[in-house]
Amino acid sequence: MSQKHFLLKGTFILTVVGILTRVMGFFYRIFLSRSFPAEEIGLYQLIFPVYTLAYAATSAGIETALARLVAASSAKKQSAKAYSYLKAALLCSLSICCLFLLQKNAVFLTTVILGDPRCASLIFLIAYALPFAALHSCSCGYFLGLKQIRLPALSQLFEQLVRIFFVILLY
C-alpha cells in the first residue's frame, strides 16, 4: 500500500472512530445528567482539572514521540529497538508515582486548591486511571509507529464502551 493510501485510510479510520466515540460520549453525558443530581455532576466535573494536569504530567507527548521513534526503528527493521522504546516510554510516564502522589495529597488538593473536601474520594479513585491512561497512550504510540491503525482505533472505542458500561453498572 502506498504511503498516500495508508495515510488516507488511517485518517479515515481514526476520524470515524473519533466521531463515533464523541457521539457515544454525547449520549453518555445525557445519561449522567438525568441519572445523577446536578451537585454530584458538579463535583465530578470539579476534579477534572486535577486529573487533566496529572494526565498531562504522565502522558503528554509520549504517544507522539514514541510513534516517531518506533516508526524510525521499524523503517530500519529494528523491531527489538522499537519494543525497547515502548518499555522505556512506559517507565518514563511516571504514572504510578503520580497515582500515589494524588492519593496521598487528595485531601490537600481538594481542600486548598479545589475548595471542596468532598472531592477527595473522587480524586483518590480517579488516580487509578492514570497508569491505564499511560498504558493506552504508550500502546497507541507504539502501534501507530508500526502503522497498525486499527488497534489504536479499536482501543479508543473499547475505552469509551468500558467507561460507559461501568458507570451504568455502578448506577
Side-chain angles (χ1 to χ4, degrees):
M1 180 182 296
S2 72
Q3 187 69 15
K4 181 180 177 182
H5 286 112
F6 170 76
L7 183 64
L8 290 174
K9 183 179 176 184
T11 301
F12 177 75
I13 291 171
L14 291 174
T15 301
V16 168
V17 170
I19 290 170
L20 185 59
T21 58
R22 300 286 179 169
V23 169
M24 291 166 56
F26 173 75
F27 289 109
Y28 171 67
R29 297 271 183 181
I30 291 171
F31 168 76
L32 285 179
S33 68
R34 291 184 178 170
S35 302
F36 298 101
E39 184 177 5
E40 290 178 10
I41 296 292
L43 291 174
Y44 174 73
Q45 292 297 322
L46 190 60
I47 65 168
F48 273 95
V50 174
Y51 174 74
T52 303
L53 186 62
Y55 176 75
T58 59
S59 299
I62 287 180
E63 183 175 341
T64 306
L66 185 58
R68 182 188 172 286
L69 290 169
V70 168
S73 296
S74 178
K76 295 176 184 174
K77 308 281 191 249
Q78 297 172 332
S79 60
K81 191 172 185 179
Y83 187 69
S84 69
Y85 285 137
L86 173 63
K87 292 188 288 189
L90 285 169
L91 287 174
C92 288
S93 74
L94 301 175
S95 58
I96 300 293
C97 297
C98 199
L99 178 147
F100 291 125
L101 281 171
L102 275 181
Q103 288 185 338
K104 185 171 176 69
N105 298 306
V107 174
F108 169 77
L109 289 169
T110 57
T111 308
V112 176
I113 296 177
L114 298 180
D116 196 335
R118 296 177 295 171
C119 293
S121 61
L122 296 173
I123 293 286
F124 189 85
L125 289 173
I126 204 165
Y128 285 114
L130 289 172
F132 296 106
L135 178 65
H136 173 79
S137 183
C138 290
S139 64
C140 282
Y142 179 74
F143 286 106
L144 288 171
L146 293 176
K147 295 184 178 180
Q148 296 178 3
I149 301 299
R150 287 191 177 112
L151 195 61
L154 288 174
S155 71
Q156 183 180 1
L157 191 60
F158 181 71
E159 178 185 351
Q160 183 77 323
L161 286 170
V162 167
R163 180 184 303 127
I164 292 170
F165 173 76
F166 276 109
V167 169
I168 291 172
L169 184 69
L170 289 173
Y171 176 72

